[in-house]
Amino acid sequence: MRQRTIAKSVELVGVGLHKGVPVRMILEPLPSDSGIVFFRSDKGVSIPLKIENVIDTTMATVIGKDGAKVSTIEHLLSSIYAYGIDNLRIILDNEEVPIMDGSSIGFCMLLEEAGIQELDKVKRAIVINENIEIEDNGKFVRLEPNDKIIFDFTIKFSHQAIREQSYKFEFSTQNYKEEIAKARTFGFLQEVNQLRAMGLGLGGSFDNCIVLDEKGILNKDGLRYKDEFVRHKILDAMGDMSLLGMPIIGGYISFAGSHKLNHFLTKKLLDTTSAYSIVELNDKSKIMQKTFVNTKVKAKI
């Protein structure tokens, strides 16, 4: 199996969740072994997608370098991960990735418009050899050996519209589009008001977020899935795990995980050399053949 990029450049204009200002985003192909690279065109700064470039995980995953940063990257990265794209340049003229509708389905559509291009070098993956876990006051995130790609998440809230939800997701691109990609981010009205008082969340609305008050869900159209909340947590986790730079063959398990715990998990994994192996995925790699989308693949370059 070969590394991938997109077949042509595509672009869109959207609004950033926290600053509420328009953001122009362009996706451009890159050659093999380039990785995912963000470029702040207004600053003239490239920020490679690397764990060491993560500068904040408080409310979203934020990367930065040389005085420039890019926030709320996890939804876009989740879709990039789902389509098996290894090399891509993401050009932004502001500090946030557009929030779109609060899910990743819009980014999936953009990637399908661009098409997928196979490159000249072999794709690599991280195989989990032993359990790696980060725990914090009863919350945890863990990677464990598995011959499949599994994301298994549980959340627990006191709010009557959420309560305890669990979802076990066996990854493939098609499953992702059907089960995960449409799940939106969510927030509580009191928190939204607090954020706006701090000058954040200015781009949030019922069009890009599930909003809850004390009684229930305020969005008139309700939920897209009955357990949309936990499915969105899986969407986020996939985006955060993409900072490892290659897909994981193994299981991701979490109870009440967060961007912060995910970041610590990726760091701990790479610091524990016995816990993983990096393998090349030849054309006979059955798990990858049935996992990543193989439509719209152009000729190799």
Side-chain angles (χ1 to χ4, degrees), residues 149-172:
I149 302 174
I150 301 292
F151 287 85
D152 189 347
F153 213 116
T154 298
I155 58 173
K156 189 174 184 179
F157 287 82
S158 59
H159 196 286
Q160 61 184 358
I162 306 177
R163 300 300 187 189
E164 184 169 328
Q165 296 183 2
S166 297
Y167 199 81
K168 186 175 183 178
F169 172 61
E170 183 173 344
F171 173 72
S172 73

Side-chain angles (χ1 to χ4, degrees), residues 1 4 82-84 112 116 172-174 291-295 297:
M1 189 173 185
R4 291 176 167 187
Y83 280 74
E112 291 193 358
I116 297 170
S172 73
T173 306
Q174 190 59 38
T291 296
F292 289 109
V293 66
N294 58 10
T295 58
V297 176

Side-chain angles (χ1 to χ4, degrees), residues 155 157 162 184-188 209-210 212 229-230 232-233:
I155 58 173
F157 287 82
I162 306 177
R184 296 162 293 173
T185 192
F186 60 94
F188 300 93
C209 183
I210 304 169
L212 304 99
F229 304 99
V230 71
H232 184 79
K233 290 293 187 179

Side-chain angles (χ1 to χ4, degrees), residues 49 73-84 104 149-153 169-173 175-177 180-181 231-244 246-248 252 259 262 266 291-292:
L49 185 68
I73 61 177
E74 57 272 8
H75 300 173
L76 173 60
L77 292 178
S78 185
S79 64
I80 291 169
Y81 186 105
Y83 280 74
S104 66
I149 302 174
I150 301 292
F151 287 85
D152 189 347
F153 213 116
F169 172 61
E170 183 173 344
F171 173 72
S172 73
T173 306
N175 289 349
Y176 178 84
K177 289 171 61 180
I180 302 298
R231 294 189 194 215
H232 184 79
K233 290 293 187 179
I234 291 175
L235 187 157
D236 279 347
M238 291 179 64
D240 288 343
M241 290 300 104
S242 72
L243 276 105
L244 289 167
M246 59 192 78
I248 299 167
Y252 168 97
H259 297 302
N262 288 336
T266 56
T291 296
F292 289 109

Side-chain angles (χ1 to χ4, degrees), residues 179-250:
E179 301 177 34
I180 302 298
K182 295 178 184 178
R184 296 162 293 173
T185 192
F186 60 94
F188 300 93
L189 186 60
Q190 181 180 355
E191 294 176 352
V192 172
N193 292 336
Q194 290 173 349
L195 284 172
R196 290 187 171 177
M198 297 165 58
L200 300 173
L202 301 178
S205 71
F206 292 123
D207 293 328
N208 55 37
C209 183
I210 304 169
V211 182
L212 304 99
D213 65 6
E214 294 180 356
K215 297 180 180 179
I217 298 165
L218 297 179
N219 303 64
K220 292 181 180 180
D221 294 334
L223 299 176
R224 295 175 177 176
Y225 312 95
K226 65 179 181 179
D227 50 4
E228 187 169 356
F229 304 99
V230 71
R231 294 189 194 215
H232 184 79
K233 290 293 187 179
I234 291 175
L235 187 157
D236 279 347
M238 291 179 64
D240 288 343
M241 290 300 104
S242 72
L243 276 105
L244 289 167
M246 59 192 78
I248 299 167
I249 300 177

